[in-house]
Amino acid sequence: MSELVLVTGATGYLAAHCVQQLLQQNYKVRGTVRSLGNESKLKPLRSLDKASELLELVEIDLGDTIEKWTRVVSGCDYILHVASPFPIVADDSVIQVAVRGTLVVMEAANKCYGVKKVVLTSSCAAINEGHADENKVFTEGDWTDIDSPKVRSYPKSKTLAEKAAWDFVKNMETGNKFSLTCLNPTLIVGPLITVDQGASVSIIKRFMSGAMPALPYLQMAFVDVRDVAKCHILAMKAKQSDGKRILVTQTPSLWFKDVAEILRKEFGQFNYPIPKYMCPYLFLWIYSFIDKESKEILDRVNRHIKFDNSQAQAMLGLEFRQIDESLIEMGHSLIDNEILPRRNGYEERNNNNQK
């Protein structure tokens, strides 16, 4: 009998890829969704190969009771806790949602003796924010300093949620003593299965829609969504990852001008308004008064983003995809899913999400 894996937030960008890869490997999957009434949102999951035999969707929210979550977790062998808010512009409300959502899943796993392991989707934002030396190479041993005035609400939410999970496991004295692995991906890109428009989609959409009139001197680390999903499943099964944090990222990081050049080579011929010119800090600072997303990145301008991904490679044997291809596939996916308009001369490209 195949094992049952709970995937929280199953219609999300990353979670949908986790569901797809689990089904491909013949796991039974129980996916949580906020509503079973939105069939258009659920259709991409129900259309996945083997979904009719192996996929069950259940309606529950991170704010629901521990009793309800215990019923959902009951019978599961593993939990991939992927669901968590990731707005580009966040306020402190995301902290409570992230921490409470993480703890309710931990508590439910502690009550259900069949659960062997929880894999928690954390973030690099729980690692490299608020440090005196922002340009050093960051590893899993680093933690974001939430007391730094530079650290905004989203990094605080991911840091506090991950710490709450580790504290919960450390202090378990009774009940089901499951294992925990936390994954810390950088910005996730690549093709879409669902049309969930989280931060990753919003950022690449801005590159291609004209919403980014010029390029800030901003560097980011990227990772392909399929690699992150694969890492969840590898960590789920790998005993050596128990009790570990794992940075999940391709290296080196890319400047926004590099991202724009990659996208322009592919989509410029179709007249997508991908920015060409750099934005001086003064102009960005002025623009931030009318654009909240620009304000969010002011502290990150001219930072060199460096991560050590050797643990993911050594412990899980993961080989990361090249990000230029991931970005191109994501651009096509945004157009094919009508998140971006189809311009004259554009021909649909068949993204193969199953690789």
Side-chain angles (χ1 to χ4, degrees), residues 221-222 249-253 306-309 313 320 322-323:
F222 295 87
T249 186
Q250 174 60 286
T251 58
S253 302
K306 301 173 188 175
F307 291 108
D308 180 351
N309 65 359
Q313 294 175 312
F320 291 99
Q322 294 302 308
I323 291 303

Side-chain angles (χ1 to χ4, degrees), residues 147 237 313:
D147 295 322
K237 296 295 291 183
Q313 294 175 312

Side-chain angles (χ1 to χ4, degrees), residues 60 68 73-74 144 157 163 197 219 303 340:
I60 193 168
K68 188 172 182 180
V73 169
S74 179
T144 284
S157 76
K163 285 190 172 184
Q197 294 197 38
Q219 191 179 61
R303 276 179 60 182
L340 286 170

